[in-house]
Amino acid sequence: MTTDSTESTDSHVAPLSDPDAVHAETVRRLERAMGSLGTAAVARMERRLPWFRAMSAEDRSWVGLVAQSGVAAFVDWFKSPRRSRPAIAVEVFGTAPRELTRSVTLQQTVEMTRVVIDVVEAQLEELAAPGGEQHLREAVLRYSREVAFSTATIYARAAEARGAWDARLEALVVDALLHGDREEGLQTWSSALGWSRSPVVVVAGHLPDVDAETAMDDIRVLARRAGHDVLAGVQGERLVAVIGVNDKVAADDPLSAVTPLADTFGPGPVVVGPPVTDLQTAGRSAMAATNGLRAAVAWVDAPRPVHAEELLPERALDGDTHARRRLVEQVYLPLRGAGSPLLDTLSVYLEHASSLEATARMLFVHPNTVRYRLGRVAELTGFTPADGRGAFALRLGVTLGRLAERDQGADSPL
């Protein structure tokens, strides 16, 4: 009877040597331990991960839910050994909001996953049925590998989506600056792009012989390597970069920040707009840079890069009203305000081929007097009469000033 009873009992309960029985027993143990494993994982993260402790309560709760879901998804996958790959993205990370990828970096997610795996491995002997330890260990390793792949995929997709959005937003900002509109939205847009640098200069040049995306990427890499903020955009054959200059670079010397970037532009002039205090006022720099680029063809020997202010004469002749106003303000108004001797001396000097002696004879003064007055002209205007470019700018500034004075009255030459 004993034999019959034993045989009857064995017919209902499989021996532990049966792989299926070992697997089933391991599954039962895992199911009983799911809650405690998740709790232990969160507790270990509290102890080992400073960034986790520093998170908001809401984000910590979401991370804890991800950890719990990871354990539950592993148990569910382990139940069915014939399932090829666990659906990590849906079963684990699908519980958390998309915004969590902004709060938790990829590196932090890897650390979190490592903690959960460590907790499971630490209790592996108790979780596995006798004889099932190796099988469970291999399953944990395989599952952790799938978690790693899924984590990388999720963050790659999030980065790709943010990159596409950032590219569209970047193009929108550059377009707004070039057209001088939508300035009320620039603060929000620049904050979304992480803009923090000032002063700001705009650089304009022609596209190089590569596709537009490659050209913009080259500018971004070089500028960010130097510590500058940068936005880049393409309009037709024109490549425009908005540079938030690193604080280490002098605010009044934007060319020193831009010169290393000049080679990323195509052949022809590269024009740098004047520095402004922030992105909201960068439209003025953008207009000067693009107008300067259009007019730079008239200055064959222009340096590369060249400041837009150095192209004031060419810009004025090309119809740039701002450049005309700047020349009148910089040349004509100071000279007229200083009295007729300076303005008369300059006019005669320019009319007589920049000859000191001829000017002195025409004015019945000593050449040293002419020399002194011309020195005062240079001090007041920033242009040297004896220099070819300076004489060009001075002649044009005086001419434009007299025309403006004629049109608007003697008291208001502008």
Side-chain angles (χ1 to χ4, degrees):
M1 292 185 61
T2 302
T3 303
D4 293 340
S5 176
T6 302
E7 291 175 356
S8 175
T9 301
D10 291 344
S11 66
H12 292 87
V13 180
L16 287 178
S17 58
D18 185 347
D20 291 338
V22 172
H23 182 267
E25 176 60 23
T26 301
V27 169
R28 284 193 293 271
R29 295 188 182 194
L30 287 171
E31 288 177 332
R32 288 196 300 268
M34 275 196 305
S36 62
L37 287 173
T39 302
V42 173
R44 183 170 293 193
M45 280 189 279
E46 286 274 6
R47 294 194 304 271
R48 290 177 49 179
L49 305 178
W51 60 264
F52 181 76
R53 294 193 298 271
M55 293 179 73
S56 67
E58 181 181 10
D59 284 343
R60 281 201 310 273
S61 67
W62 279 117
V63 172
L65 183 58
V66 169
Q68 296 277 4
S69 299
V71 174
F74 169 71
V75 175
D76 182 64
W77 171 74
F78 188 77
K79 284 181 184 179
S80 306
R82 291 182 179 83
R83 290 174 61 180
S84 57
R85 296 181 65 182
I88 304 294
V90 176
E91 297 175 356
V92 180
F93 298 106
T95 61
R98 183 176 300 176
E99 291 79 7
L100 195 61
T101 58
R102 295 184 180 269
S103 301
V104 183
T105 66
L106 177 59
Q107 179 62 37
Q108 290 170 342
T109 304
V110 171
E111 293 176 356
M112 179 184 72
T113 303
R114 185 178 292 117
V115 167
V116 176
I117 298 303
D118 288 346
V119 168
V120 175
E121 289 184 335
Q123 302 183 36
L124 194 140
E125 298 297 330
E126 293 79 11
L127 293 172
E133 295 85 357
Q134 184 61 28
H135 178 56
L136 180 58
R137 183 175 290 106
E138 292 174 355
V140 170
L141 291 175
R142 182 180 176 189
Y143 188 79
S144 63
R145 183 189 65 185
E146 296 299 334
V147 168
F149 288 154
S150 295
T151 300
T153 300
I154 289 170
Y155 275 85
R157 288 174 179 170
E160 184 177 357
R162 284 197 298 269
W165 167 248
D166 287 351
R168 290 193 294 270
L169 188 57
E170 183 176 349
L172 186 63
V173 171
V174 174
D175 183 73
L177 292 176
L178 291 176
H179 289 87
D181 57 3
R182 304 176 188 168
E183 290 192 5
E184 68 280 357
L186 286 175
Q187 179 67 45
T188 302
W189 297 341
S190 61
S191 297
L193 290 169
W195 189 276
S196 61
R197 300 290 188 186
S198 64
V200 178
V201 295
V202 177
V203 189
H206 298 294
L207 273 173
D209 294 330
V210 296
D211 62 273
E213 287 299 324
T214 300
M216 289 189 291
D217 286 342
D218 290 343
I219 287 181
R220 294 185 189 111
V221 169
L222 286 177
R224 288 168 182 162
R225 188 178 297 164
H228 310 313
D229 284 341
V230 58
L231 303 174
V234 172
Q235 291 201 338
E237 296 300 315
R238 189 171 60 190
L239 176 60
V240 179
V242 184
I243 309 296
V245 180
N246 190 323
D247 292 338
K248 296 178 182 178
V249 179
D252 57 353
D253 186 22
L255 287 182
S256 62
V258 173
T259 299
L261 309 179
D263 289 340
T264 60
F265 290 85
V270 175
V271 183
V272 184
V276 294
T277 55
D278 51 40
L279 192 62
Q280 284 65 51
T281 56
R284 297 198 295 270
S285 183
M287 182 173 295
T290 53
N291 287 345
L293 179 64
R294 187 176 60 247
V297 64
W299 186 6
V300 178
D301 297 324
R304 175 187 162 106
V306 59
H307 200 292
E309 294 296 292
E310 296 185 59
L311 287 161
L312 283 177
E314 288 79 9
R315 289 165 53 195
L317 291 173
D318 196 39
D320 185 341
T321 56
H322 176 75
R324 291 182 177 184
R325 189 181 307 113
R326 286 278 295 126
L327 277 175
V328 172
E329 292 173 349
Q330 189 172 343
V331 174
Y332 187 71
L333 292 185
L335 294 180
R336 196 190 69 165
S340 59
L342 290 187
L343 193 55
D344 292 343
T345 299
L346 175 64
S347 298
V348 173
Y349 178 76
L350 295 176
E351 289 296 331
H352 287 78
S354 301
S355 169
L356 285 174
E357 290 75 13
T359 303
R361 285 195 300 270
M362 288 296 298
L363 296 175
F364 300 101
V365 296
H366 194 278
N368 284 342
T369 301
V370 175
R371 187 177 290 107
Y372 168 77
R373 291 177 181 177
L374 294 179
R376 288 285 295 145
V377 168
E379 290 176 6
L380 290 172
T381 66
F383 296 111
T384 303
D387 174 71
R389 290 286 303 172
F392 178 37
L394 288 167
R395 182 186 291 275
L396 192 56
V398 171
T399 302
L400 291 173
R402 286 171 174 161
L403 291 174
E405 194 171 50
R406 176 205 63 186
D407 294 338
Q408 300 187 21
D411 295 331
S412 179
L414 296 181

